[in-house]
Amino acid sequence: MSDANVEKLYTLQGMWCTSCALAVEGSLKRLEGVREVSVHYPSATLCISGTPAVTQLSNLAAKVKRLGYRLTELEPVADAHARLEEESRYLTLRLMVGSLFGMWTMLASLLIYAGALPSVQIEQVVAWVSGAFSLPVVLFAGVPFYRAGWRTLLAKRPGMDVLVSLGVIGAVMVSIWLLWRGSVEVYFDTAVMLIVLLLVGRLVETLCRHRGLKALDALALPDDNVTVWQGERWLSLPAEEVAKGVRIKLAPGGLVALDGTLEAPGWIDTASLTGESVPRHFQAGQTIYAGCRYLGTTPIVMQVSAGVGQRRLDRLCDEMRRYQAKKGELQKLADRFAAWLSPLALGLALLTLPTALLFGLGWEDALVRALSVLVVACPCAVGLAVPLASLAGSGQAMQQGIALRDPAALETLARIRSVALDKTGTLTIGSHTVLHWAAREGVDEPTLQRKLWAAVAGSEHPLAQALANWSGSQSDRRPEPYLQVTNTPGEGRRVQLKSGEWLTVGRAAWLASQQIALPAQAEDAALAFASQVMIADEAGWLATLYLIDQPVKDAEPSVKHLLASGYVIAMISGDRQGAVSWLGERVGLGREACYAQRSPEAKARLLQGLPSPALYVGDGLNDTLSLAAADVGIAPLSASEAAREGAAAQLMTPGIGGVVKLLGIAQRTRRIMVQNLFFSALYNTLALGLVVVMAIPPLIAVLAMAASSLTVTFNAARLAWAEPDYEGSLNEES
């Protein structure tokens, strides 16, 4: 972006559907000085770039207000939840009114259609009753459709709401005119059915939008108090009240709530933000960030460098919303079809009325035929084509152990060109195991395991726990009681057993500082990629152990299958280069496809450079930005809450084999989507042509709409009935 352009995020309120988002986009794109506009309907976020003058809120708000919407500063996540709750209640009330009164309208119409009434006079009364019961539905429940239709017309981007509104208003007006002329062939039920069915769809859609905000909720830290040095004493205050420059105390094992610099060395678990598999030892003066965890044994003091709202975690949240808005709503084929169908149907309806009169038809027949054009054109089948296929694909994915949070993501998954994978916890099991060990002459494995177990038992360090698992795996022995334990965070520990024996375990440099002689063969350069731990007893160096985070069982066959299928594969990690390269070699990735020591922001930027659409698979808090930046994000079984909420899909079984299965399901689902859209488009095209040349009552038009909807429904059901053809793909690779 050039220096002359700025990019801003705002909240767009009052949207009713994706057509509203497209209408605002189209209107703002016409402003001079605007470079790019994107509206993300699920989160109601508008992202706009352009000159500083044109992107000012005051200028944009005036333009948006003329369309009937309201533009505000970017709302907090809590306010977004409240807004969606209000929208849900708004829709629920209208659906209740529509269902209650619509039921009686439909019943009255059915009695007339079935000829179940004894006389014409009673039929006339029942017809008026049908119209009376439809009024609350039309005048109250259907108002959102009329409003959205009018706004999209003002923006010159008419969508489905325009057709629905025209169909409803046309059905009511023709019915009232027929009643006035004494006819009982009314069409209030047509208007009611259109409103109620579409209200159900909009309510479900609104409830699903709540889930999109949970990813942002997961980035928020708990509302715990922090211990602050104030007034020559330590006080407990809420984190949001702590300003920059204040000194706070970190408790052992506690979550860091604010960004700051340490006043003393400390052992910090940074995995949530960096993805590093091993905690790091920070020196005094180094910066640590909110979301990390302090692993020391005694309290430590740090000076706050960024308060709530300015922390790195808060910036990640803002970046996540920015990526969401930039992606925009999927431009479904159905929306594009409805965009040209609306003006076409209106034009045909207006043309049908005078044409019918010219051919000698009466006003009643001419109006009914024009109404039939509008009803036939209402794209119910078009609206069902993609969601039904998505629902069927989601069901098949669930059978394969994949939970889809956003069924619409299947459409994008079918077009994926590149797949980016996180390392720790995604391609690896997320915990270290002993890869190799070398001991001094005369020391066998049982002896090493016994002494190692005694040295590390009870330690909370991740590597110590991995060593304890390995050394204690051969028996259920209890650790020998300690006389003395000395822990040096980030370096190692010395223990004196009850027998009087001293054992030292930790980093090589630290053991050397303890005056322990290390032989030249103590380190193996070929294993430099692994985490190295040494142990010594009173006789000196005892052994060197090499630990590595092992790949998940299906990592290699899954990666090879994806490569063979033509996808561009990359592994992006915050871990060390050596460990990343070793894992890449194990799973079949070249060194050029393995990117190490990448921050969350760098991960997202790198992901943007991959061929699009791109898929990202990640499990940690540090992956949430990449999950948002990707076209589709997937969280593995062991993913953190933040990653699960930010991903479109979650694997419910260990490993990454589910990614291969999901891509196969998505490709089959997209084929069904295209077929459904073809069937529904063919129906609308043929039906519009037929209704223009011959008389089709609106009731028959409604039945034809139902038939077209059943066609796409049964076609989508084939996804659930068919056996998956990708079951054996991973087994063949392995």
Side-chain angles (χ1 to χ4, degrees):
M1 183 179 295
S2 66
D3 295 337
N5 291 310
V6 296
E7 185 177 85
K8 293 187 178 180
L9 292 176
Y10 298 109
T11 292
L12 183 63
Q13 299 188 7
M15 286 193 295
W16 169 249
C17 59
T18 55
S19 295
C20 295
L22 295 174
V24 174
E25 280 185 12
S27 179
L28 294 183
K29 282 179 181 177
R30 292 192 287 268
L31 293 177
E32 185 177 354
V34 170
R35 180 182 179 184
E36 186 179 355
V37 182
S38 178
V39 178
H40 187 239
Y41 168 64
S43 62
T45 305
L46 181 145
C47 180
I48 184 169
S49 62
T51 61
V54 77
T55 55
Q56 289 295 321
L57 177 61
S58 56
N59 295 336
L60 297 175
K63 176 71 173 178
V64 169
K65 186 177 181 181
R66 286 195 290 271
L67 298 176
Y69 306 99
R70 188 161 64 93
L71 198 66
T72 64
E73 294 288 354
L74 190 64
E75 64 184 357
V77 178
D79 291 349
H81 277 297
R83 174 175 51 78
L84 287 178
E85 288 285 355
E86 184 178 350
E87 288 183 21
S88 298
R89 290 193 296 269
Y90 175 89
L91 285 170
T92 301
L93 176 61
R94 277 157 177 75
L95 180 58
M96 289 174 62
V97 170
S99 301
L100 177 63
F101 289 94
M103 175 182 63
W104 294 108
T105 301
M106 295 297 296
L107 178 60
S109 297
L110 285 174
L111 290 174
I112 296 174
Y113 295 150
L117 300 175
S119 66
V120 175
Q121 290 77 13
I122 294 178
E123 284 185 344
Q124 191 77 22
V125 172
V126 171
W128 279 102
V129 169
S130 173
F133 277 116
S134 72
L135 288 178
V137 184
V138 173
L139 298 180
F140 178 74
V143 167
F145 295 102
Y146 318 145
R147 184 185 297 123
W150 176 248
R151 289 172 176 175
T152 54
L153 275 176
L154 285 178
K156 301 178 183 178
R157 296 292 293 268
M160 290 188 186
D161 290 310
V162 173
L163 280 180
V164 171
S165 301
L166 291 173
V168 169
I169 296 171
V172 172
M173 297 302 294
V174 170
S175 298
I176 292 174
W177 185 74
L178 291 174
L179 276 178
W180 187 260
R181 290 174 55 87
S183 173
V184 297
E185 296 294 330
V186 292
Y187 308 104
F188 296 112
D189 53 332
T190 302
V192 166
M193 186 169 63
L194 284 173
I195 291 173
V196 172
L197 290 178
L198 290 169
L199 275 175
V200 171
R202 293 293 163 83
L203 178 59
V204 172
E205 184 179 44
T206 301
L207 294 175
C208 290
R209 288 164 62 194
H210 276 287
R211 297 186 307 189
L213 295 174
K214 289 184 179 180
L216 301 175
D217 288 338
L219 286 176
L221 296 177
D223 294 329
D224 297 334
N225 285 5
V226 295
T227 304
V228 179
W229 181 254
Q230 192 175 81
E232 301 302 320
R233 60 190 179 121
W234 292 104
L235 299 175
S236 180
L237 295 176
E240 58 268 17
E241 296 182 12
V242 179
K244 180 180 178 180
V246 174
R247 300 171 68 224
I248 66 173
K249 184 189 294 184
L250 304 179
L255 199 66
V256 180
L258 302 164
D259 294 354
T261 54
L262 294 175
E263 295 187 358
W267 186 243
I268 307 294
D269 179 5
T270 63
S272 62
L273 283 177
T274 66
E276 291 181 271
S277 54
V278 180
R280 294 169 53 195
H281 188 253
F282 282 68
Q283 301 297 329
Q286 283 190 277
T287 301
I288 63 173
Y289 298 102
C292 296
R293 190 174 295 277
Y294 171 54
L295 298 179
T297 56
T298 58
I300 193 173
V301 176
M302 81 171 203
Q303 188 174 24
V304 176
S305 60
V308 174
Q310 303 298 320
R311 300 168 298 184
R312 185 182 183 188
L313 201 63
D314 299 317
R315 295 197 299 272
L316 286 177
C317 185
D318 289 342
E319 281 295 308
M320 189 172 177
R321 298 181 78 167
R322 190 178 303 275
Y323 277 121
Q324 284 181 337
K326 279 187 176 180
K327 285 195 303 182
E329 184 70 13
L330 288 176
Q331 302 297 305
K332 292 191 174 80
L333 294 175
D335 289 330
R336 292 196 290 269
F337 181 70
W340 65 260
L341 182 62
S342 299
L344 175 63
L346 180 59
L348 284 176
L350 293 175
L351 184 63
T352 299
L353 183 61
T355 303
L357 292 173
L358 285 175
F359 276 89
L361 296 180
W363 275 97
E364 180 176 335
D365 291 337
L367 285 171
V368 169
R369 188 170 293 191
L371 173 62
S372 297
V373 171
L374 288 177
V375 173
V376 163
C378 286
C380 293
V382 177
L384 289 172
V386 172
L388 280 178
S390 295
L391 190 60
S394 301
Q396 181 123 125
M398 182 59 74
Q399 292 177 12
Q400 298 297 316
I402 307 158
L404 272 169
R405 295 170 52 80
D406 181 12
L410 284 169
E411 187 179 355
T412 306
L413 280 165
R415 299 182 289 109
I416 289 296
R417 295 176 57 200
S418 56
V419 178
L421 303 160
D422 176 45
K423 172 187 170 285
T424 307
T426 301
L427 281 174
T428 68
I429 59 178
S431 59
H432 285 68
T433 57
V434 175
L435 178 68
H436 177 73
W437 60 274
R440 72 176 179 232
E441 187 176 354
V443 177
D444 58 11
E445 185 171 325
T447 301
L448 173 61
Q449 288 183 324
R450 178 180 59 80
K451 291 197 174 188
L452 188 61
W453 171 263
V456 301
S459 173
E460 295 183 355
H461 192 286
L463 291 183
Q465 292 177 356
L467 292 171
N469 290 335
W470 178 76
S471 59
S473 61
Q474 303 299 320
S475 69
D476 295 327
R477 56 178 176 264
R478 299 173 63 85
E480 187 175 342
Y482 297 138
L483 290 178
Q484 185 178 341
V485 178
T486 303
N487 287 298
T488 304
E491 303 291 347
R493 70 179 342 209
R494 279 176 56 84
V495 301
Q496 184 182 23
L497 306 180
K498 189 175 182 181
S499 62
E501 182 181 15
W502 281 92
L503 296 172
T504 306
V505 61
R507 298 174 60 229
W510 183 70
L511 263 68
S513 71
Q514 302 296 310
Q515 310 305 316
I516 297 174
L518 304 178
Q521 71 272 20
E523 298 185 27
D524 190 341
L527 295 172
F529 60 85
S531 297
Q532 182 191 86
V533 177
M534 290 189 179
I535 181 171
D537 57 12
E538 293 174 325
W541 173 80
L542 178 66
T544 302
L545 298 103
Y546 300 90
L547 299 93
I548 197 72
D549 193 0
Q550 295 283 355
V552 293
K553 184 178 179 181
D554 62 359
E556 183 180 2
S558 298
V559 169
K560 288 183 175 179
H561 185 277
L562 291 171
L563 287 170
S565 300
Y567 295 102
V568 175
I569 310 297
M571 176 169 56
I572 310 175
S573 174
D575 211 347
R576 296 169 293 117
Q577 181 65 59
V580 172
S581 298
W582 174 83
L583 180 64
E585 185 178 346
R586 285 290 303 273
V587 302
L589 288 175
R591 189 178 182 87
E592 70 282 355
C594 301
Y595 303 88
Q597 296 176 302
R598 304 288 167 151
S599 67
E601 295 87 349
K603 280 187 173 186
R605 288 194 298 269
L606 183 58
L607 185 65
Q608 295 288 294
L610 294 177
S612 181
L615 166 68
Y616 185 81
V617 188
D619 72 309
L621 180 63
N622 63 312
D623 295 310
T624 54
L625 193 58
S626 296
L627 290 168
D631 294 278
V632 180
I634 298 179
L637 178 64
S638 59
S640 65
E641 181 183 357
R644 288 197 302 270
E645 297 296 352
Q650 182 182 355
L651 306 182
M652 308 303 291
T653 55
I656 63 166
V659 175
V660 176
K661 294 179 181 179
L662 183 57
L663 289 171
I665 292 171
Q667 289 168 0
R668 294 191 68 242
T669 302
R670 182 171 174 82
R671 286 198 295 269
I672 297 295
M673 288 179 180
V674 172
Q675 292 168 6
N676 278 355
L677 285 172
F678 174 77
F679 290 146
S680 54
L682 183 64
Y683 154 76
N684 278 94
T685 303
L686 294 179
L688 277 174
L690 189 63
V691 78
V692 169
V693 300
M694 63 180 294
I696 296 180
L699 175 60
I700 301 301
V702 171
L703 293 176
M705 285 170 49
S708 66
S709 299
L710 285 175
T711 301
V712 299
T713 300
F714 286 127
N715 191 47
R718 293 195 302 116
L719 276 172
W721 298 335
E723 291 293 328
D725 54 6
Y726 36 78
E727 279 289 347
S729 58
L730 293 181
N731 294 330
E732 292 172 6
E733 292 290 341
S734 58

